[in-house]
Amino acid sequence: MILDNRGMEPPQPMVRTLKQLEAMTVGEQLMIINDRRPMFLYAELDELGFDYVTGPQQDGSFKIIITKRGE
């Protein structure tokens, strides 16, 4: 699944992303696209058991691929 969070005001991108993560199963991936690097989201992902890879995009946005780890 892809969530395009560009153009949204904080905290909407994080709230929207965390809601989607609740429905994920082990090994499932979610790609989000944000206007800026989601610094506060990373601590939440670590605590909740998700791996993530962040990459800058040519338009200045950031693509983050989030994967739910196994127990």
Side-chain angles (χ1 to χ4, degrees):
M1 171 160 216
I2 299 171
L3 286 181
D4 188 343
N5 294 324
R6 291 177 288 186
M8 301 176 99
E9 291 294 320
Q12 284 304 320
M14 185 160 169
V15 169
R16 188 173 185 225
T17 299
L18 290 173
K19 183 175 180 180
Q20 188 62 44
L21 295 177
E22 290 176 7
M24 290 176 60
T25 59
V26 173
E28 193 172 1
Q29 289 190 326
L30 170 67
M31 180 172 59
I32 63 171
I33 305 169
N34 285 14
D35 289 322
R36 56 188 72 75
R37 191 179 300 269
M39 300 308 294
F40 296 111
L41 178 62
Y42 296 138
E44 292 286 332
L45 294 173
D46 290 335
E47 188 174 313
L48 294 170
F50 289 87
D51 293 324
Y52 50 89
V53 177
T54 303
Q57 303 299 291
Q58 288 186 349
D59 66 357
S61 66
F62 289 87
K63 177 172 72 174
I64 302 92
I65 299 174
I66 303 167
T67 307
K68 184 163 187 170
R69 288 193 298 257
E71 302 296 321

